[in-house]
């Protein structure tokens, strides 16, 4: 969704200083960063794609089939709370990835070839440029309203998810942009209910924000 932007890869995200993580909020939102020193202020472009990973708890085994996790609920909450709600709100996709079984590590993959996926992504990006002159990730809220019309069922599904998961207006627009991209990858002009449902599932990660 951030075609052409550099990547920032952050493993073990909660181990970063919380003040450093909070600084990411402004550029994730606006694509710019403002530096203020004494009586001077400067604004710099800072558009990037953040890719981060973290364990579910301090020991890393919360929810594992082995039952090895001995972390207390308070310890889990303290660990996960190192990532603030406002920062999570600005991360479009939040996916929980379970541990793989040992037998699966040696099995042959049955997925698409990378070349096929790359071609589909390139086609979707060109589709976005023809429609609005920019990538979906850069759409403003008014532009989202124009380019992301929903079927009645899709609108209701998204509203129900917002009420159930207590999402903000920012989360609403970010889910719409992900759904718009899912439809583009499928070469479809309309955002179907299935696209909204898939986008919602991509945001049900940490604390279901």
């Amino acid at each position: 969704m951030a075609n052409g932007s550099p990547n920032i890869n952050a493993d073990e995200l909660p181990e970063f200083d919380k003040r450093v993580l909070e600084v990411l909020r402004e550029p994730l939102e606006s694509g710019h960063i403002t530096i203020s020193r004494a009586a001077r202020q400067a604004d710099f472009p800072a558009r990037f794609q953040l890719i981060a990973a973290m364990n579910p708890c301090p020991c890393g085994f919360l929810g594992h089939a082995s039952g090895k996790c001995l972390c207390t609920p308070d310890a889990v909450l303290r660990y996960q709370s190192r990532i603030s709600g406002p920062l999570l709100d600005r991360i479009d996709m939040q996916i929980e990835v379970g541990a793989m079984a040992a037998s699966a590590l040696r099995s042959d993959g049955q997925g698409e070839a990378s070349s096929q996926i790359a071609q589909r992504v390139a086609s979707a990006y060109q589709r976005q440029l023809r429609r609005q002159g920019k990538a979906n990730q850069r759409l403003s809220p008014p532009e989202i309203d124009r380019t992301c019309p929903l079927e009645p069922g899709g609108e209701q599904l998204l509203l129900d998810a917002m009420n159930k998961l207590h999402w903000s207006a920012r989360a609403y627009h970010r889910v719409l942009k992900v759904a718009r991209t899912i439809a583009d990858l499928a070469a479809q002009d309309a955002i179907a209910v299935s696209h909204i449902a898939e986008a919602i599932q991509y945001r049900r990660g940490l604390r279901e924000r």
Side-chain angles (χ1 to χ4, degrees), residues 79-154:
Y79 180 77
Q80 294 187 355
S81 294
R82 295 178 187 178
I83 313 302
S84 72
L87 177 58
L88 278 175
D89 211 24
R90 290 164 170 82
I91 298 177
D92 291 353
M93 302 173 68
Q94 305 166 25
I95 304 171
E96 182 177 352
V97 181
M100 291 182 64
S103 58
L105 296 176
R106 292 183 59 85
S107 62
D108 294 332
Q110 300 298 318
E112 288 182 87
S114 296
S115 58
Q116 293 177 310
I117 297 173
Q119 184 176 13
R120 193 166 70 252
V121 169
S123 296
Y125 181 59
Q126 291 303 317
R127 191 183 191 89
Q128 295 165 26
L129 293 182
R130 289 194 299 270
R131 182 177 58 240
Q132 68 231 6
K134 65 177 76 174
N136 291 338
Q137 188 268 342
R138 300 189 181 190
L139 292 173
S140 66
E143 291 171 331
I144 292 171
D145 292 336
R146 292 196 300 270
T147 60
C148 301
L150 300 179
E151 299 175 358

Side-chain angles (χ1 to χ4, degrees), residues 10-65:
D11 196 12
E12 297 291 351
L13 190 64
E15 301 303 327
F16 286 81
D17 188 289
K18 192 167 185 175
R19 291 170 298 178
V20 173
L21 294 179
E22 292 303 298
V23 170
L24 293 174
R25 287 164 52 181
E26 180 184 354
L28 280 172
E29 183 75 18
S30 66
H32 291 81
I33 186 72
T34 301
I35 306 296
S36 299
R37 291 290 184 273
R40 298 192 176 187
Q41 181 173 295
D43 187 69
F44 299 95
R47 191 173 295 280
F48 59 91
Q49 180 171 261
L50 175 66
I51 303 171
M54 63 178 288
N55 288 320
C57 67
C59 78
F61 286 101
L62 180 67
H64 195 275

